Amino acid sequence: EAEVAQSPRYKITEKSQAVAFWCDPISGHATLYWYRQILGQGPELLVQFQDESVVDDSQLPKDRFSAERLKGVDSTLKIQPAELGDSAMYLCASSLQVLTEAFFGQGTRLTVV
Amino acid sequence: AQTVTQSQPEMSVQEAETVTLSCTYDTSENNYYLFWYKQPPSRQMILVIRQEAYKQQNATENRFSVNFQKAAKSFSLKISDSQLGDTAMYFCAFISAGGTSYGKLTFGQGTILTVHP
C-alpha cells in the first residue's frame, strides 16, 4: 500500500543549528502539505504545494523556515536557525488533488535543545 | 478565515458503548468538505469519514457516522460499539471549495478519546 514517507523520524538539534526534513508523497499526488503539530494540539498548516508551486505559505515563519518541491514530487522543509519553540512534530501529507483525501506520513519529531 | 473548534479536550467511553464527539466550524463559504481524522498514539493520522457540504445525507462508514447540521455549522462524529482500538486523538477538519481559502485543510484542536475495557 502506498504511503507518504518522511525522514528522519526523530531529530535532536541544538538551538541556532540548521535542520531539514524530507517528504516523499504518494506517487501521482499533486498536492503536498507541511504541518506543525505541538504535542496535544491540532496540526497547523505551514505550507501547501500544488505540484511545484506554493499555494499557501501564510503561516510559514519565512525568516527562518523555507520549503521547496522542485520537481513537484518530493519536498524539503528547512529551519535555520532552529529555536527552542520549534520543538514539535512536523507532518507531511499528500492528496491526489486539492479537496481529496489527505494521506499523512508518520512525521518527524523535532527536539531543539 | 475559516476556523474549526472542538470543545471537548478529552472523552472516555466503555467498550461497546456509543460516544459522540463535537465539532463546530466557521466559514462564509457555501461549498466545502468536512472530515474526521484519527491519530492513534505514536501512529500516523488516518481519515475516518468525509462529508460533502452539498449533500444533505449524513455520511456513514461502518461504526462511524456523522451528524451534519449545515445551518448550525456543526459536524459531530458518533462512534457506535466502541472498541479498544478506537482509542486515539480525533481531529475535525475543514477544507473550502471556494474563496480565498480554497483548498486549505484546517484542523481543530483535537479530542482525546479513551475506550475503557
Side-chain angles (χ1 to χ4, degrees), chain A residues 3 9 33 35 37 40-43 45 48 56 58-59 91 98-102 104-106, chain B residues 33 35 37 39 42 44-45 47 50 89 91 95-97 102-110:
Chain A
E3 291 189 341
R9 289 288 309 279
Y33 307 88
Y35 285 89
Q37 185 180 22
Q41 297 184 19
L45 181 67
Q48 178 180 342
D56 189 330
S58 56
Q59 300 302 310
L91 297 171
V98 176
L99 307 183
T100 59
E101 177 185 353
F104 283 80
Q106 291 192 300
Chain B
Y33 299 82
F35 308 86
Y37 280 87
Q39 189 176 40
S42 301
Q44 66 210 84
M45 188 117 58
L47 180 68
R50 164 191 168 114
M89 194 155 186
F91 292 97
I95 192 166
S96 175
Y102 173 79
K104 180 177 179 178
L105 182 59
T106 302
F107 286 83
Q109 308 92 315

Side-chain angles (χ1 to χ4, degrees), chain A residues 11-20 64 78-84 86 110-113:
Chain A
K11 179 71 177 179
I12 299 175
T13 191
E14 292 184 347
K15 187 175 61 172
S16 79
Q17 294 299 304
V19 64
R64 297 185 300 109
K78 296 179 182 177
I79 308 174
Q80 182 174 15
E83 296 181 352
L84 296 177
D86 296 332
L110 173 67
T111 302
V112 182
V113 297

Side-chain angles (χ1 to χ4, degrees), chain B residues 28-39:
Chain B
S28 57
E29 296 297 325
N30 190 53
N31 193 14
Y32 49 86
Y33 299 82
L34 293 160
F35 308 86
W36 279 97
Y37 280 87
K38 169 185 177 182
Q39 189 176 40

Side-chain angles (χ1 to χ4, degrees), chain B residues 80-117:
Chain B
S80 304
D81 185 26
S82 296
Q83 300 176 0
L84 297 178
D86 294 334
T87 293
M89 194 155 186
Y90 287 81
F91 292 97
C92 178
F94 170 101
I95 192 166
S96 175
T100 56
S101 295
Y102 173 79
K104 180 177 179 178
L105 182 59
T106 302
F107 286 83
Q109 308 92 315
T111 297
I112 298 172
L113 175 67
T114 303
V115 180
H116 297 285

